[in-house]
Amino acid sequence: MITQLVIAIALMLLLFSILILLPFIANRKSHLDQRRRNQLNHDLYDIRLKEVEADLARGVVSDQQSIVAELQYNLLDDIDEQPQLKNNNNKILWLPGIIFFSSLV
């Protein structure tokens, strides 16, 4: 009877530990995806900027400043820093649960 109770408590502790760690793992993955997407946007901006400079040298483009301004606007529009700030606040919400869990053990 006591063995079953110990096994049940151990399984509940394992399940609760997994539930606590799951959002942190998912957040880390989304953060890495966000960084990769931002890096790709920067790389595409640099490539397009070089293309504009090459077009300017060939005489195809007449108004370089407006094109560069549009590229910068598009880059700022594509890069979004707000979800990172929002996700970091979610970690604080788990703190009371972790403290409560620690006090039970």
Side-chain angles (χ1 to χ4, degrees):
M1 194 68 149
I2 293 178
T3 309
Q4 293 174 347
L5 179 64
V6 170
I7 291 173
I9 290 173
L11 288 175
M12 288 175 60
L13 291 175
L14 179 66
L15 179 66
F16 188 72
S17 299
I18 291 171
L19 289 176
I20 285 178
L21 293 177
L22 195 61
F24 294 111
I25 294 170
N27 186 23
R28 178 175 288 160
K29 183 181 178 203
S30 70
H31 180 67
L32 289 175
D33 290 343
Q34 180 76 18
R35 287 181 60 198
R36 286 183 188 143
R37 188 175 69 88
N38 287 346
Q39 184 61 40
L40 178 63
N41 284 333
H42 280 286
D43 293 342
L44 290 174
Y45 170 78
D46 291 336
I47 290 170
R48 183 65 183 123
L49 192 59
K50 289 178 184 176
E51 289 176 358
V52 169
E53 290 173 358
D55 288 345
L56 182 66
R58 286 184 289 182
V60 177
V61 175
S62 61
D63 190 14
Q64 180 187 12
Q65 289 180 349
S66 65
I67 294 174
V68 170
E70 183 180 345
L71 286 174
Q72 290 173 348
Y73 176 76
N74 289 339
L75 177 66
L76 289 175
D77 192 37
D78 290 339
I79 294 175
D80 188 18
E81 298 293 331
Q82 293 299 331
Q84 294 174 358
L85 298 174
K86 183 179 176 184
N87 288 338
N88 288 338
N89 291 337
N90 292 338
K91 293 178 183 179
I92 296 172
L93 294 176
W94 285 95
L95 189 62
I98 293 171
I99 292 171
F100 177 73
F101 176 69
S102 303
S103 66
L104 291 178
V105 175

